[in-house]
Amino acid sequence: MLGAGSGQRRTGHDASGGVIDPSFGGTLGAAAEIVSIAAAAGHVIHSRFGTPGDVAAKGDVGSSGRVFDVVTEVDMACEALIVDHIRRISPGAVILAEEGGVHDAHHHADLELLDDLWVVDPLDGTLNFSAGLPMCAVSIAHYRRGEIVAGVIHAPMLAETWTIDETGPRCNGAPIRVNSS
């Protein structure tokens, strides 16, 4: 992960909640639009950090009685924002979202056959976020016929954005790769 002292250009939200560096999108291909969408949701997360609003349990409670899966007002606000953005750029898309399920006019059972599928987790790490821990992210992926077109993971509290598209994997706009050893 690139840290503040890494010498790399920082993008995403800075500590004051500033927006992603406008030049960031210029280094990307298909992920550029998704970075913009994730940044908008990241701004909501950043601005509400420490004040998650209502927190509700979802899914099963563990055998110990502890809740491990929660949803907050921020999850719902971010999902609505992301779905709205996707609808504007891709009106016929099927959107599979963490909180709202499948958003589309004609539900398709075989997602791998879809020409325009978006998979969204508006606030990955909600339990951390609701506890005031900064390890959370916006996750958005765009698929065409079962193949990834582009994906973005934006961690607004860490000012980190990972992308994958036809230009390859990147962190904060800089190419990344697996070490050959």
Side-chain angles (χ1 to χ4, degrees):
M1 186 177 331
L2 297 176
S6 70
Q8 295 287 336
R9 177 174 53 96
R10 305 278 300 166
T11 57
H13 285 86
D14 61 20
S16 67
V19 297
I20 283 184
D21 179 342
S23 66
F24 182 85
T27 62
L28 301 173
E33 185 74 35
I34 304 172
V35 167
S36 174
I37 296 168
H43 181 71
V44 173
I45 293 168
H46 195 279
S47 69
R48 294 288 304 273
F49 189 71
T51 56
D54 289 338
V55 179
K58 68 176 191 177
D60 296 328
V61 175
S63 60
S64 66
R66 295 176 60 191
V67 174
F68 294 101
D69 201 4
V70 297
V71 62
T72 68
E73 293 174 9
V74 178
D75 289 85
M76 302 308 286
C78 288
E79 183 167 306
L81 181 148
I82 293 166
V83 168
D84 181 59
H85 276 270
I86 293 170
R87 285 278 173 249
R88 280 190 265 136
I89 63 170
S90 191
V94 173
I95 304 168
L96 179 58
E98 172 84 11
E99 310 310 333
V102 177
H103 297 263
D104 74 329
H106 308 352
H107 177 68
H108 295 274
D110 194 348
L111 299 177
E112 289 189 5
L113 298 177
L114 296 172
D115 287 325
D116 196 7
L117 171 66
W118 296 74
V119 179
V120 174
D121 188 341
L123 178 46
D124 195 1
T126 301
L127 194 59
N128 285 342
F129 175 79
S130 66
L133 300 172
M135 298 302 293
C136 58
V138 178
S139 301
I140 305 171
H142 183 205
Y143 290 87
R144 185 170 292 119
R145 295 204 165 268
E147 297 292 324
I148 185 84
V149 174
V152 172
I153 299 172
H154 174 57
M157 303 311 299
L158 304 176
E160 300 283 345
T161 303
W162 295 270
T163 60
I164 184 70
D165 63 11
E166 74 278 8
T167 67
R170 295 175 179 271
C171 179
N172 291 347
I176 57 175
R177 61 181 172 77
V178 176
N179 189 329
S180 60
S181 60

